[in-house]
Amino acid sequence: MSVVAKVLIVDVGNTSIKYTAFDADNILWQVRDEDIAKQTGFVPDAVYFASVRSSEDGEALQQQLKASYPNAHWVELSSVAEACGVRNAYQEPHRLGVDRWLTVIASYHLFGGDVVVVDAGTAIKVDMVNKAGQHLGGYITPGLAMMEASLLSKTARIRYTPEEKVMTDGLPNSTARAVAQGCHEMALGFLERIYKDYQHFTWVVTGGDAKSLLDVLGIDASQEQHLVAKGAKFVGDDCLRAQM
């Protein structure tokens, strides 16, 4: 049960910022990289802030939000050893990205444990949590766009236009296809190897590329686009409850 009525979740990722508004346990809206002042009529009772960037990068945004909502309770979320019945696998818990930590917590509460979480955006992140609430660990690899950009940045003659990237069957017969489909196959191989060991787990996907990758492999997965926000809501409510 929610501690306060209206909550704003601020999820500061590597390449974008997501704002998610909750009324009790219901999501009202989510916007990305926008001026949330445009979302008229919503004044949060609490702001839960989670960032994977450095403290310096997030400080200006924090000050802006605190000025915009001076009466709101403020909770800054971070990865810890244990929260909401989930235990962190890392020996140094704070070094686990808070976005991964929140997806693990949300998946445990929403799907009951024995879950593989695949978040495929800027990076492809995979984490596992069992029914006892033990985070088992996970992986991070570059996402599809990052793999491609890295290859292009480190070579002199691999160049092509976006229009040349046409995905078709058969072996690639152009540089554009060779790179795009090569990166795609690398991601598929990575996920396929994990599936061999964890096919008995429930698979949950979030992020732009995750569902399409698992569909190619024929892996049945539940899609939950608001996993970080829902995890933040679970943890933020617990933190706020302890403060009150």
Side-chain angles (χ1 to χ4, degrees):
M1 182 179 294
S2 293
V3 183
V4 293
K6 295 182 178 180
V7 174
L8 179 67
I9 306 294
V10 183
D11 169 21
V12 183
N14 289 301
T15 57
S16 65
I17 303 171
K18 289 181 184 176
Y19 302 92
T20 308
F22 281 84
D23 187 351
D25 293 324
N26 302 310
I27 292 177
L28 300 178
W29 46 258
Q30 184 177 83
V31 295
R32 184 192 297 262
D33 292 332
E34 292 185 19
D35 181 359
I36 57 171
K38 296 176 182 176
Q39 304 297 321
T40 57
F42 184 81
V43 179
D45 301 308
V47 177
Y48 301 163
F49 187 91
S51 175
V52 299
R53 302 181 193 177
S54 67
S55 300
E56 295 76 13
D57 287 344
E59 188 172 343
L61 178 58
Q62 288 191 43
Q63 294 307 315
Q64 176 188 330
L65 290 167
K66 288 178 179 179
S68 298
Y69 307 114
N71 297 319
H73 297 280
W74 182 268
V75 179
E76 187 168 357
L77 305 177
S78 59
S79 299
V80 294
E82 185 170 354
C84 298
V86 178
R87 295 176 301 282
N88 195 325
Y90 273 34
Q91 292 184 347
E92 298 176 272
H94 67 280
R95 300 190 68 176
L96 175 68
V98 68
D99 55 339
R100 291 174 60 198
W101 179 231
L102 297 175
T103 61
V104 166
I105 289 171
S107 297
Y108 173 73
H109 283 275
L110 295 174
F111 297 93
D114 280 358
V115 173
V116 174
V117 189
V118 182
D119 182 356
T122 304
I124 300 174
K125 294 162 282 190
V126 182
D127 281 278
M128 297 77 165
V129 57
N130 68 18
K131 287 182 179 178
Q134 178 62 57
H135 171 226
L136 303 177
Y139 301 93
I140 306 173
T141 72
L144 297 177
M146 186 183 290
M147 277 194 269
E148 188 174 336
S150 176
L151 183 60
L152 294 175
S153 70
K154 299 297 183 182
T155 58
R157 302 191 66 179
I158 297 181
R159 295 293 180 268
Y160 48 85
T161 65
E163 292 75 21
E164 294 179 81
K165 292 197 311 182
V166 179
M167 300 287 274
T168 60
D169 293 332
L171 284 172
N173 58 1
S174 69
T175 299
R177 284 186 58 203
V179 173
Q181 290 178 232
C183 293
H184 196 251
E185 290 295 327
M186 287 183 68
L188 291 174
F190 164 63
L191 293 170
E192 189 173 37
R193 281 178 60 86
I194 296 172
Y195 184 67
K196 288 180 180 178
D197 292 330
Y198 291 93
Q199 55 188 288
H200 58 293
F201 274 37
T202 298
W203 283 58
V204 180
V205 298
T206 191
D209 295 321
K211 187 66 167 63
S212 62
L213 288 168
L214 295 192
D215 283 348
V216 171
L217 294 171
I219 298 174
D220 185 31
S222 298
Q223 189 162 21
E224 177 53 75
Q225 290 301 330
H226 302 296
L227 213 52
V228 173
K230 289 183 177 181
K233 185 66 163 50
F234 282 123
V235 177
D237 281 354
D238 254 17
C239 292
L240 195 57
R241 207 174 278 118
Q243 293 176 14
M244 290 182 163

